[in-house]
Amino acid sequence: MLLIQCPYCGVERPELEFSCRGEAHIARPADPSATTDEQWAEYLYLRTNPKGVIAERWRHIHGCGRFFNALRDTVSDKFLMVYKAGEPKPDPAQFSKEAGR
Amino acid sequence: MADILTSELYSADSSQAPLLVLPDVTIMPAAPAARVSLRCRETGLALAAKAFGTPIPQTPLTAETAANRAAFWLGPDEWMLVAPESQLAAILSDLETHLDAVPHSVVDISHRQDAVLVSGPRAGWLLNTGVPIDLHESAFAVGTVTRTLFHKTPIMLWRTGPDSFVVEAWGSFMDYVTGLLVQSAEELKAA
């Protein structure tokens, strides 16, 4: 079973306790009424979906209940790093190198 | 110490029959208790501790206990407070008085959850038929409390001793939890 580290609980827990909530670091436009339809559609629907390292939001829903962010390699399904919500996004390129891509 | 706590706060309900009695493991329904969900920021913790009578734990997965009191860490801003059933009204008003000046949420969840006491040398083994986390003492020490899953239902699990656990589940899910535990225990009889 895939084990995921929760940065709030400080322990590794089985994937069953978590739920994935898609790509991280997507900011809602500050003034929605000033955006064009294309910009709004991009914010709502368009994601990078890379083959390789991606920053994702995860929620420890059956544990502490908190959202956090994780860097995951979509090829190997390996978690490279977890960090608390609100912390800056690490450089995925650096982790891509470590992951051998 | 854990035994004392268990007998004070989580005692077997004498009005109900044990759900399972085997040489290696027993499951007893626990008597009703007052349960309060507390949510607040760090600023409120000292005040809540003063009102409730035990420190509010800030280390993840730990509990703080005192006579007739237990406070469980459930999340970075979420705790469950347990006390004898008769003291519920006093605890709610004490918390509201002390926390008046800080943003907080205090909710009575006494009747949302029930507890069962699972104990015996095979208690950890039995729980692990449905709990996906490692319950070995080196990974889940005495005193550890956590929310997790039992098969498909969320539970709260508190280890009160090397061979004793408290399992809390929502009232309508309790039959599912105990039913599966009793069924899984059949395997112990066969061995």
Side-chain angles (χ1 to χ4, degrees):
Chain A
M1 194 179 287
L2 184 61
L3 294 175
I4 301 171
Q5 175 94 13
C6 169
Y8 291 98
C9 295
V11 289
E12 278 195 326
R13 286 295 172 84
E15 190 186 357
L16 289 176
E17 287 188 6
F18 297 84
S19 92
C20 180
R21 298 298 174 87
E23 191 172 347
H25 304 289
I26 293 175
R28 188 173 193 271
D31 184 5
S33 56
T35 59
T36 63
D37 287 354
E38 287 71 29
Q39 284 168 331
W40 192 250
E42 185 168 333
Y43 156 69
L44 280 183
Y45 303 115
L46 297 184
R47 299 294 178 260
T48 51
N49 192 28
K51 178 182 180 184
V53 180
I54 183 176
E56 285 175 322
R57 297 164 78 224
W58 284 75
R59 187 178 180 202
H60 193 188
I61 185 164
H62 292 300
C64 62
R66 275 296 173 110
F67 278 93
F68 60 92
N69 296 328
L71 283 187
R72 185 174 66 91
D73 186 339
T74 57
V75 179
S76 62
D77 207 15
K78 206 173 188 174
F79 280 73
L80 303 167
M81 178 187 181
V82 293
Y83 53 104
K84 292 181 181 179
E87 290 178 3
K89 183 181 181 179
D91 179 16
Q94 183 197 335
F95 286 89
S96 302
K97 258 182 239 158
E98 279 174 34
R101 256 171 279 284
Chain B
M1 187 174 169
D3 292 340
I4 303 169
L5 297 171
T6 314
S7 60
E8 277 180 0
L9 277 175
Y10 285 108
S11 54
D13 190 345
S14 51
S15 67
Q16 292 189 58
L19 293 164
L20 177 77
V21 180
L22 289 178
D24 283 343
V25 60
T26 57
I27 304 176
M28 317 280 279
R35 299 175 179 88
V36 175
S37 164
L38 167 70
R39 311 229 21 194
C40 67
R41 297 195 177 149
E42 245 171 76
T43 45
L45 293 184
L47 299 168
K50 215 161 135 196
F52 186 61
T54 163
I56 306 298
Q58 282 175 274
T59 313
L61 312 180
T62 60
E64 289 280 356
T65 51
N68 282 326
R69 293 281 189 276
F72 301 109
W73 186 98
L74 295 183
D77 61 355
E78 181 174 5
W79 294 268
M80 187 171 83
L81 313 176
V82 178
E85 200 183 17
S86 58
Q87 298 174 21
L88 175 66
I91 287 168
L92 287 177
S93 69
D94 278 357
L95 283 169
E96 286 300 349
T97 317
H98 280 79
L99 289 170
D100 194 35
V102 293
H104 68 280
S105 144
V106 169
V107 181
D108 169 23
I109 53 165
S110 307
H111 296 191
R112 183 181 78 177
Q113 284 167 224
D114 289 328
V116 290
L117 314 173
V118 183
S119 51
R122 298 300 292 275
W125 175 90
L126 183 60
L127 286 168
N128 261 152
T129 58
V131 175
I133 60 180
D134 185 359
L135 295 182
H136 189 270
E137 263 193 271
S138 59
F140 199 84
V142 174
T144 308
V145 62
T146 185
R147 279 189 295 208
T148 181
L149 286 172
F150 180 82
H151 290 279
K152 302 218 166 200
T153 187
I155 59 163
M156 190 198 85
L157 187 64
W158 183 33
R159 184 173 219 154
T160 52
D163 293 332
S164 49
F165 296 85
V166 173
V167 179
E168 289 234 353
W170 289 14
S172 53
F173 296 163
M174 209 39 160
D175 285 348
Y176 173 90
V177 174
T178 54
L180 279 167
L181 281 174
V182 169
Q183 211 167 36
S184 305
E186 289 291 316
E187 205 172 313
L188 288 175
K189 289 187 199 161

